[in-house]
Amino acid sequence: MCGIVGYTGLRQAGPVLLDGLRRLEYRGYDSAGIALVTDDGDLFVEKRAGKVANLEDALAGDPPSAGIGLGHTRWATHGRPSDLNAHPHSDCTGRITVVHNGIVENFRELRGELAAHGHSLKSETDTEVVAHLVEDAYKGDLADAVRAALRRLEGAYALVVMHRDEPERLVGARFNAPLIVGVGDGESFLASDAAAIVAYTKKVIFLADGDVADLLPGKVTITDRDGNAIQRVIDIIPWSAEAAEKGGYPHFMLKEIHEQPTALTSAMAGRVRGETICLEELDPIRERLADIDRVEMIACGTAYFASLVGSSLMQDWLGVSARSTVASEFRYSPPPIDARTLVVAVTQSGETADTIAAARLAGDRGALVVAVTNTVGSAITREAHASVFLQAGPEVAVAATKTFVAQVLTLVLLTAEVSRQLGRRTLEQEHELVKELRLLPAKAARAIELSSVAEEMATRYADAVGFMYIGRAFGYPAALEGALKIKEISYLHAEGYAAGELKHGPISLLDADVPLVAVATRSVVYEKLISNLMEGQARDARVIAVATEGDENIAKLATDVLWVPDTAEPLSPILAVIPLQLFAYHMAVARGRDVDQPRNLAKSVTVE
Ligand code: F6R
C-alpha cells in the first residue's frame, strides 16, 4: 500500500532514502517525503503530493548531509493526497517523526483524546496520532516510547519512528503490514520490501506481527511490544538490485512480460524432475493432504483469476468439490470448513489484507492452509501450514503479468502433485503433463514473438470506447485477466465474461465502437466459442481472436488474430494471456497512460 524506508549508518541518508523510495513507488504514489536528522542536529522534513519526482524537485538534488533518516511513499487512505497529509508526520515538539503504512482504526478516538490533552494535530491522517502518542510516552528512550504508543493502537501498521535527540536510532514496528530489517556492515535499514534496500544489503530479517525493531548502525535488537527480547533469523534475498530495474525496457511491465519464459522456468525449478512433479514444500503436510475432501481457493484480482484455473483443475483431477472465492467476500459467506478442507491462498505479494483475513478465518476453523505466493517471509506464509513460492523474481509494475503465469503454473504443479498423492491420476498422465511443461517456456517466448502485431493493432483500437472479453472453460480466466489489464492501464472499460453468458445480456453493448476479444484457442469448447465470436461479428463488433497457430478457420472470422502455440488445455491460459497483456500494454502506451503506475492503484493492498 505505502512504501517505507529507513536508514542509519555512515552513508549519506538522503540519497539512500530517495533511491529506496523510487524502488518502492509502485506501492503508492500519492505523495512522498523524507525526514533526516542532519549532521547539525536538526530535524529536516520535506514532503510533496504526487510522485517521488516532485519530492526530488523540491530537494533540488541536494538533501542536507545526514547519516540517519526515514522516507515514505503514500497510497492515501485517511486524508486526501496533499503536501500536508504526506508523511513523515511530527509531534508538537518537532523532534519526533513517523512514517506509517496501514490504518490506525481507533485514530478518531485517539485524536480527540490527544487534542483534549493540548496536542495540536495538523493533518487529516490517522498516522499523525502515532507521533503524538510517542511524544507523550517519551522519557528518554525511543524504543520504550514506541512500545507504549503501540499498545494504544488498533488496526494495522508498519511504522518507523525517529527522534532528533537520539540521532543514530530508528525504531520500527509491524502489525498486519510488511516491514523488514536490512542488516548491513556498520549500517541498518528498515523497508516495506527488499527492493528498497537490496542494492545495499541482501541480509534481511522479516519482522513478524507484534515485533519492534530497535536499530543502531550495524546493530539490531528485536522485542515484542512489552519489551521482551525476540530472536529472528537473517534471510538472504535471492535476487539482485538489477532484477528490480528496467534493464533497457521503457516500462517495467514490458520487461516483466518478456521475463515470462524465465519466470516459468524458475517456477518449475526443483519441482519438475525427470518425468515427475515434486513439491517438497508439501512434505510437512502430506498426512493431512491425504485426508482432504474439499478445496477452497481465496485470492484477489489477478491472483483470483489464476485461482480459477487452479480450482477447476483441482475439481477435475482430484474429484473433490473445489471452488475459488474472491477473498474480500469469503468471510461474509464462509463455506463449511473443517480439518479436511484444503484452503489455497493465492497472493503475489503475500500481504493482501483481504486474502490474509480469509486465510486466517479458514485456519481458525481448522482447515489445512497452503499459501501460493511470490514473497518469501510475507504475512501469508505465517497464516499457512505450507507455502509454495512462485520463484518469479520481483514484479515492480503495478499490473501483474509474470506472476499471473507463474501462479497458474504453480497451481497446476500443486494440483498434479496432490492428485498423484491421492491416487487420482496415473503416472502416465503425469509424464504427459511434464512433457508439455518442459516445452512451455519456449512456447511462451514464441507467444511473445507472435504478439509483435499487438503494437500496430493497438493504434487501430485506441479509439474504442470499451471492450468485451470472452472465454469458456480455461479460456475464461484468461479473458477476465485480459480485460483487467485493459481497465487497469488504459482506463477503458473492459468486461470479462463467460462466453456463454454473452447472449444473456452484455451482447447489447457490442457495436462498431466496442470490440469483442475472444479467447478461442484449441479446446473442447472451441466450436461453441466460435459461435459466440460470430454472434459478436453479426453485431458489427470488430473481433479480435486469440487463437492457436495453424487455425485457418479463425482468420476468416476475426478482424484480427493474436496467435499462440498449442499446448495442453490446463496450460492454455498461460499462453493465451501473453498477447492480451501485450495488447493492453500497447493500448495504454497509445493512449498516453502511465503504464507502470496507473492512477488510483497500488501494487500491494494491505487494507481491507
Ligand atoms: C492486477 C493486480 C491486482 C492483484 C491483487 C492481488 O494487475 O495486480 O489485481 O492481483 O491486488 O494482489 P496479490 O496477488 O498481491 O494478493
Side-chain angles (χ1 to χ4, degrees), residues 95-309:
R95 292 168 184 219
I96 296 166
T97 186
V98 178
V99 289
H100 164 229
N101 171 20
I103 291 183
V104 178
E105 283 167 5
N106 56 336
F107 88 100
R108 281 196 183 78
E109 176 195 324
L110 292 170
R111 256 185 111 89
E113 191 185 302
L114 287 161
H117 286 95
H119 287 267
S120 143
L121 285 90
K122 301 183 188 73
S123 76
E124 302 159 333
T125 66
D126 53 339
T127 302
E128 197 181 352
V129 299
V130 181
H132 293 268
L133 288 173
V134 175
E135 177 190 352
D136 267 356
Y138 190 72
K139 307 263 177 325
D141 184 315
L142 185 60
D144 279 348
V146 171
R147 281 186 286 261
L150 294 178
R151 293 194 284 269
R152 301 291 321 278
L153 301 185
E154 286 166 21
Y157 54 78
L159 49 85
V160 182
V161 189
M162 183 171 74
H163 195 302
R164 196 198 68 176
D165 300 344
E166 298 190 57
E168 293 199 314
R169 193 176 197 186
L170 286 178
V171 178
R174 79 155 273 167
F175 193 79
N176 283 344
L179 191 66
I180 62 169
V181 174
V183 182
D185 202 3
E187 56 187 356
S188 306
F189 304 78
L190 281 158
S192 299
D193 86 42
I197 56 172
V198 71
Y200 306 102
T201 181
K202 291 192 166 198
K203 289 197 254 170
V204 299
I205 298 169
F206 295 104
L207 296 176
D209 283 344
D211 284 1
V212 178
D214 188 355
L215 271 64
L216 291 170
K219 180 166 182 250
V220 179
T221 312
I222 300 175
T223 67
D224 64 15
R225 280 173 287 198
D226 296 320
N228 302 307
I230 290 178
Q231 296 303 321
R232 296 263 174 245
V233 293
I234 295 182
D235 279 285
I236 305 295
I237 299 297
W239 40 270
S240 66
E242 294 73 56
E245 279 164 10
K246 283 187 200 154
Y249 286 92
H251 297 102
F252 280 110
M253 182 178 177
L254 191 62
K255 175 185 174 232
E256 287 156 6
I257 290 172
H258 280 84
E259 281 174 347
Q260 292 181 113
T262 313
L264 292 168
T265 305
S266 338
M268 285 188 271
R271 293 165 176 171
V272 177
R273 303 180 188 169
E275 289 185 299
T276 53
I277 291 164
C278 179
L279 299 182
E280 275 171 5
E281 300 89 326
L282 303 181
D283 287 349
I285 58 165
R286 297 259 174 225
E287 255 177 56
R288 287 199 62 187
L289 275 175
D291 266 350
I292 61 164
D293 65 1
R294 205 148 48 82
V295 181
E296 296 285 341
M297 295 212 177
I298 43 179
C300 302
T302 289
Y304 169 69
F305 300 149
S307 83
L308 290 173
V309 180

Side-chain angles (χ1 to χ4, degrees), residues 299-305 346-353 355-356 372-375 390 395 397-401 403 407 481 484-485 488-489 601-605:
C300 302
T302 289
Y304 169 69
F305 300 149
V346 188
T347 162
Q348 184 282 129
S349 62
E351 301 290 347
T352 299
T355 309
I356 291 166
V372 171
T373 179
N374 201 27
T375 318
L390 302 181
E395 187 176 68
V398 165
T401 53
T403 55
Q407 279 163 349
E481 175 60 4
L484 180 63
K485 292 297 90 130
E488 284 182 292
I489 58 171
L601 293 175
K603 185 146 190 78
S604 173
V605 186

